[in-house]
Amino acid sequence: MQVLTMIGAGLALVFWGAYCWRGPSWPRSAIKTGSVAVLALAAAGQGLPMLATALALGALGDFCLSRVGARWFLAGMAAFGAAHLAYTVLMLDGVALPGRWPAMIVLGLFGAFMAWLLWRRAGALRGPVLAYVAVILAMGVVALALGDAPWSRLVTLAALLFVVSDSFLATELFLVPQVHPARRVLPFLVWPTYWLAQAGLLWGLTHGAIN
């Protein structure tokens, strides 16, 4: 698992440094997809099929979002939505209510604010986009209800990093004007928060399953 994670991290660094800010290309798609696909292989090697499936769906989502067009975008959102549902199911065994209620309220308010912004800006895609927002917020809320074991704290942090990364991505895709200085910065924020979220979920959920 360590070797595959290191390979994934190497691919992720290559993508971050050389491709995350570039336009679509087949090398870009391959490196982006591969950096998470190897994490799926690591989960499969640990005998965790649902976790491997969640990561494989993330890799599929990466591939789809690296291509151009509304159909690819919708396919990518569907893949990530399914991945978040799988992660949520995996987390349920570790839920220890009442959870971190102040953080849950803050997350809910942030999600409502983002949903309001995206409703105004996402146009014809607002339905699928808002459905995706609901799914990832549900994952974040469940993560905040996990206990205080070291593995569960890592999972909580990783899930919240996913929310942060997707917020950066939504800002880049829908909220920032086409000509804006933030567009030069956002890709460099989206990618590391996203990949670290996937790696954190791999390690945290693997450790939780073993223990």
Side-chain angles (χ1 to χ4, degrees):
M1 180 165 143
Q2 290 92 336
V3 172
L4 288 172
T5 303
M6 289 177 64
I7 292 171
L11 291 172
L13 284 171
V14 170
F15 183 82
W16 190 39
Y19 288 100
C20 74
W21 48 277
R22 294 182 184 273
S25 68
W26 287 112
R28 183 180 188 275
S29 295
I31 293 170
K32 184 179 187 184
T33 305
S35 70
V36 176
V38 294
L39 301 184
L41 292 175
Q46 295 297 308
L48 300 171
M50 183 171 286
L51 180 56
T53 299
L55 287 160
L57 285 166
L60 175 61
D62 283 329
F63 177 79
C64 292
L65 293 182
S66 72
R67 309 315 298 163
V68 178
R71 290 184 180 180
W72 284 113
F73 179 75
L74 289 172
M77 275 204 308
F80 275 115
H84 295 323
L85 290 174
Y87 284 136
T88 302
V89 171
L90 287 166
M91 292 177 198
L92 288 176
D93 285 342
V95 167
L97 295 175
R100 302 171 179 87
W101 288 107
M104 290 179 183
I105 292 171
V106 171
L107 179 61
L109 291 173
F110 175 72
F113 176 68
M114 287 297 294
W116 175 72
L117 290 176
L118 292 169
W119 174 263
R120 298 173 62 232
R121 301 289 185 87
L125 295 173
R126 63 166 57 102
V129 167
L130 293 183
Y132 179 84
V133 169
V135 170
I136 194 169
L137 285 177
M139 183 186 73
V141 168
V142 172
L144 286 168
L146 294 176
D148 289 324
W151 73 266
S152 61
R153 288 198 293 268
L154 176 57
V155 171
T156 300
L157 175 61
L160 294 178
L161 270 179
F162 229 131
V163 174
V164 170
S165 178
D166 278 354
S167 299
F168 287 145
L169 181 59
T171 300
E172 180 185 1
L173 293 176
F174 298 111
L175 304 181
V176 174
Q178 288 296 321
V179 181
H180 194 282
R183 286 191 170 272
R184 300 176 183 176
V185 177
L186 283 167
F188 293 96
L189 300 178
V190 171
W191 181 250
T193 50
Y194 162 73
W195 192 88
L196 289 172
Q198 293 280 38
L201 288 166
L202 167 65
W203 281 83
L205 290 170
T206 297
H207 191 77
I210 292 172
N211 291 278

